[in-house]
Amino acid sequence: MSLRWWVETDLKHMKSSHYESGVGRNWPWASGGSSILAEYGTLHLEFMHLSKLSGNPEFAQKVMNIRKVLNRLDKPQGLYPNYLNPNSGQWGQHHVSVGGLGDSFYEYLLKAWLMSDKTDDEAKKMYYDALQAIETNLMRKSSGGLTYIAEWKGGLLEHKMGHLTCFAGGMIALGADGAPSDKTGHQMEQAAEIARTCHESYARTSLKLGPEAFRFDGGVEAIATRQNEKYFILRPEVIETYMYMWRFTHDPKYREWGWEAVQALEQHCRVEGGYSGVRDVYASTPNHDDVQQSFYLAETLKYLYLLFSDDDHLAFDHWVFNTEAHPLPVIKKDKTDIPNEVE
């Protein structure tokens, strides 16, 4: 039975059910009920893939419409705020983050271009323009020489970098080859510097596991200063960047750093029923939170596996990873479409 049949059947069900109520709901805390950039901006890969599989262009059209709205909106300093009001079509409060609330939107601009076999020029331009705005407005270097990506709130910088933001090292490395020739080396240097900063956030803790967020102010660098930022919940972003940096440079330090993380996970997070997050990475002994997040299996362990695998295992010229590390095939333009069948 074909996958197309399953998709079309599911669509018919959706159209006859409560799913198509036409009523949207957003988090009340999100700048007056605004939509969140990382949510509405992180559909592109899956919907393009779904159109490819089903032969139904409607999915692709939906995400392209979102992109066109964003592309024509005025952006403060070229940056994309985390909140957009779905009723007015205008930005909410001007809070910009390459970490939580914003992260995967930037990742998907780049990966939409890669998934299109490098034919989606609009996605490419939006990505490199956004990266330039991030470099100009958010990327800073500490007095100790660590490059970090700050957050932007109404024009003021908060010199904090979240663990989630550490994915950006891998993203910048992945996109460096497509940058103008005079920017490729520069972007690889940026990626390596971010990877180093994120490694330092691990190395400067007692448990050798990174905090949820770390700061560069008040005389500290790459250290969490607030209790509610000292936890580690098995996040994958630092490992993700190590994997990309290894694939592109083959510098052995990235495998060494990955192995340090493996040892820390085994020593401090392994429990009888699996793996647990810890509440304070600066404590001498782990205080477990007794939660194994789903992304630990989907992403953290997968990126570790790929870090120590050969380059042709899920090679980047054939596969793109969505934001949860599920591989989706590059849609080759020079190949005859072959129907996907599910037994």
Side-chain angles (χ1 to χ4, degrees):
M1 190 171 290
S2 72
L3 182 58
R4 180 177 297 180
W5 181 88
W6 286 104
V7 171
E8 290 177 349
T9 301
D10 195 44
L11 278 174
K12 289 174 185 174
H13 168 69
M14 288 174 66
K15 287 182 178 179
S16 63
S17 72
H18 63 280
Y19 293 128
E20 199 171 82
S21 66
V23 178
R25 290 188 178 87
N26 286 311
W27 301 103
W29 49 263
S31 188
S34 291
S35 299
I36 297 167
L37 180 65
E39 292 189 349
Y40 65 79
T42 312
L43 303 169
H44 199 105
L45 302 188
E46 292 82 356
F47 276 48
M48 294 299 286
H49 184 58
L50 192 51
S51 277
K52 175 73 173 177
L53 290 177
S54 67
N56 183 350
E58 186 175 352
F59 302 105
Q61 289 165 0
K62 295 294 186 186
V63 290
M64 292 302 287
N65 287 342
I66 292 172
R67 185 205 289 176
K68 290 187 185 308
V69 168
L70 294 177
N71 202 14
R72 65 173 179 259
L73 276 176
D74 288 334
K75 289 168 275 293
Q77 307 297 319
L79 297 167
Y80 290 82
N82 287 339
Y83 303 113
L84 181 75
N85 189 298
N87 298 314
S88 68
Q90 299 300 312
W91 300 115
Q93 57 183 291
H94 286 183
H95 174 217
V96 177
S97 169
V98 183
L101 304 178
D103 46 13
S104 44
F105 165 69
Y106 304 99
E107 174 187 3
Y108 270 37
L109 288 178
L110 171 63
K111 290 180 175 179
W113 174 61
L114 295 174
M115 187 181 186
S116 74
D117 206 13
K118 300 182 178 179
T119 62
D120 186 346
D121 291 333
E122 182 181 65
K124 178 182 181 182
K125 183 180 188 307
M126 288 177 71
Y127 168 72
Y128 289 108
D129 287 352
L131 185 59
Q132 183 59 55
I134 289 166
E135 178 181 355
T136 301
N137 296 287
L138 306 181
M139 212 174 283
R140 296 292 183 265
K141 184 165 285 193
S142 71
S143 57
L146 295 178
T147 297
Y148 62 97
I149 303 175
E151 298 190 6
W152 191 79
K153 294 184 176 179
L156 299 176
L157 280 186
E158 183 178 12
H159 296 274
K160 174 185 81 169
M161 184 169 176
H163 191 293
L164 287 163
T165 314
C166 285
F167 91 97
M171 176 185 73
I172 294 169
L174 181 62
D177 187 53
S181 56
D182 61 332
K183 292 284 185 73
T184 296
H186 173 63
Q187 290 187 10
M188 282 305 298
E189 289 174 9
Q190 285 180 328
E193 289 177 9
I194 291 169
R196 175 173 166 249
T197 297
C198 292
H199 175 256
E200 285 298 314
S201 78
Y202 275 53
R204 298 180 185 195
T205 71
S206 300
L207 303 182
K208 306 307 176 189
L209 296 166
E212 179 69 5
F214 44 95
R215 294 180 179 267
F216 297 85
D217 55 20
V220 303
E221 296 193 354
I223 293 174
T225 59
R226 303 182 184 183
Q227 191 60 42
N228 64 355
E229 297 172 348
K230 295 181 178 181
Y231 62 88
F232 171 74
I233 55 172
L234 309 172
R235 286 202 188 277
E237 288 77 19
V238 174
I239 307 298
E240 177 182 1
T241 281
Y242 295 167
M243 186 274 291
Y244 280 108
M245 292 306 297
W246 164 257
R247 285 275 181 105
F248 289 118
T249 71
H250 290 135
D251 187 326
K253 71 183 178 188
Y254 296 113
R255 281 185 165 176
E256 292 166 9
W257 292 352
W259 190 245
E260 288 173 9
V262 168
Q263 292 176 305
L265 287 165
E266 286 296 304
Q267 183 177 353
H268 301 303
C269 299
R270 184 73 179 261
V271 293
E272 184 178 355
Y275 290 80
S276 168
V278 295
R279 291 189 170 92
D280 186 347
V281 293
Y282 300 96
S284 56
T285 56
N287 179 8
H288 294 121
D289 64 14
D290 293 328
V291 177
Q292 179 176 292
Q293 303 284 345
S294 62
F295 50 68
Y296 182 65
L297 297 177
E299 299 182 70
T300 310
L301 294 185
K302 189 181 297 176
Y303 286 132
L304 279 169
Y305 177 75
L306 291 170
L307 173 62
F308 295 100
S309 298
D310 293 336
D311 289 0
D312 60 359
H313 193 71
L314 293 175
F316 293 163
D317 54 347
H318 294 292
W319 298 95
V320 172
F321 295 99
N322 79 348
T323 196
E324 301 299 332
H326 304 308
L328 296 173
V330 171
I331 301 173
K332 299 289 186 181
K333 295 301 180 183
D334 56 347
K335 301 286 186 182
T336 303
D337 289 350
I338 300 172
N340 286 271
E341 299 290 329
V342 177
E343 293 297 330

